[in-house]
Amino acid sequence: MTPEHDARAAEDATPYRFTHAGATVVVEETGSGDRTFVLVHGIGMGRRVFGDLTDVLRPHGRVIAIDQPGYGAAPEPVRTLTMERSADLLAAFLRYRRPPGIVLVGHSMGTQVVTEIAARHPDVAAGIVLVAPTVDIEARSAARQLGRLARDLAVESPVVLVKGAQESLHAGPNLRRKMHAMLAHRPEDAYGRIDVPALVLRGENDYVSPRGWCETVVALLRNGRLAEVAGHGHETMIRDPRPAAEHILEFSDGL
């Protein structure tokens, strides 16, 4: 697909592909304006879980939702990407696309990718939002992460369960390798290198991203603050995205 074709596809909201260094993302754009919200999903998910959030954010700017390599409609890469390589890929896409006023919004594992973009490519974004950040230093194992997620999902709405199950099917046979890449990453080593403003956002009842860990993330960031969504868990942007969107919009208005 040529760059010209990519641009035309973006204008009519048709999903399109961007390939860099042997890995491919699928991109869907909607809305317009001088602010751009780039939505980066977590492990086992894809851009479609952000459909309701996109509807809330679209009146306030452009929204770009991404399928990372091996998720959603994006093809499986030859080798599972590290968080750093995922960040380099998305940074290359954003430099190519050059949308205005970028606010990176990562959910769960997506916060690790967003963190590395901000640390490694400080010119890309005006601000970042880390929703339900992983991986808590005290739970850096697959067993503990899955145990916490199971507790969270046990009280989640059927909408979250259905969307999560659908997207997990698209994550392919290499989910174990992707989990290893997520757990091997140490986001705490990158937080202190981020200069742009950062909002750390968690659901009040989030077992995967407990408040103590989120407070640690804020303390490590140079310019971070914490907000909570009452009555929500780890999937706060999926279950009912409006409260999270209000925090995201308030944060972006201050950039």
Side-chain angles (χ1 to χ4, degrees):
M1 183 178 289
T2 65
E4 292 77 11
H5 191 179
D6 282 355
R8 288 197 298 272
E11 288 169 1
D12 65 11
T14 301
Y16 63 97
R17 294 185 175 196
F18 174 84
T19 299
H20 173 75
T24 299
V25 294
V26 170
V27 183
E28 187 170 355
E29 298 188 34
T30 185
S32 61
D34 57 5
R35 176 72 66 209
T36 304
F37 302 97
V38 180
L39 310 182
V40 185
H41 62 80
I43 192 166
M45 296 293 181
R47 75 181 193 281
R48 294 189 300 179
V49 300
F50 293 131
D52 292 339
L53 178 64
T54 295
D55 289 341
V56 180
L57 295 178
R58 183 169 48 216
H60 305 276
R62 183 183 314 219
V63 182
I64 298 178
I66 306 278
D67 279 340
Q68 297 190 64
Y71 295 94
E76 193 75 37
V78 174
R79 296 181 62 184
T80 299
L81 271 62
T82 64
M83 299 298 103
E84 292 87 351
R85 280 197 64 205
S86 295
D88 293 346
L89 170 60
L90 292 187
F93 161 70
L94 292 169
R95 288 196 177 103
Y96 158 69
R97 189 70 183 121
R98 299 181 65 84
I102 295 172
V103 179
L104 297 171
V105 181
H107 174 245
S108 196
M109 183 195 75
T111 66
Q112 297 174 242
V113 177
V114 164
T115 292
E116 288 295 341
I117 296 174
R120 295 164 68 87
H121 307 278
D123 60 310
V124 167
I128 63 173
V129 181
L130 307 178
V131 184
T134 48
V135 178
D136 182 357
I137 294 173
E138 297 183 358
R140 189 168 277 136
S141 73
R144 297 197 68 178
Q145 286 294 304
L146 292 172
R148 287 184 176 188
L149 183 59
R151 290 183 66 192
D152 194 272
L153 292 176
V155 295
E156 274 294 1
S157 71
V159 171
V160 170
L161 297 177
V162 170
K163 287 185 176 181
Q166 290 173 337
E167 290 300 327
S168 292
L169 292 174
H170 293 287
N174 295 320
L175 198 55
R176 184 174 180 177
R177 293 203 319 230
K178 294 168 185 175
M179 174 69 78
H180 176 76
M182 182 186 84
L183 295 174
H185 179 240
R186 301 180 65 88
E188 64 272 17
D189 293 341
Y191 292 135
R193 308 200 315 269
I194 296 173
D195 290 321
V196 297
L199 171 65
V200 178
L201 184 59
R202 70 177 295 268
E204 177 186 31
N205 303 321
D206 188 343
Y207 294 108
V208 180
S209 302
R211 183 178 178 91
W213 164 241
C214 291
E215 289 174 342
T216 297
V217 173
V218 171
L220 291 171
L221 289 162
R222 295 179 180 177
N223 186 8
R225 64 182 177 89
L226 175 64
E228 287 189 322
V229 178
H232 280 227
H234 191 64
E235 313 297 342
T236 181
M237 289 202 305
I238 302 169
R239 174 184 173 190
D240 175 8
R242 288 170 295 181
E246 290 177 2
H247 285 289
I248 293 169
L249 291 170
E250 179 186 11
F251 170 75
S252 65
D253 285 345
L255 296 176

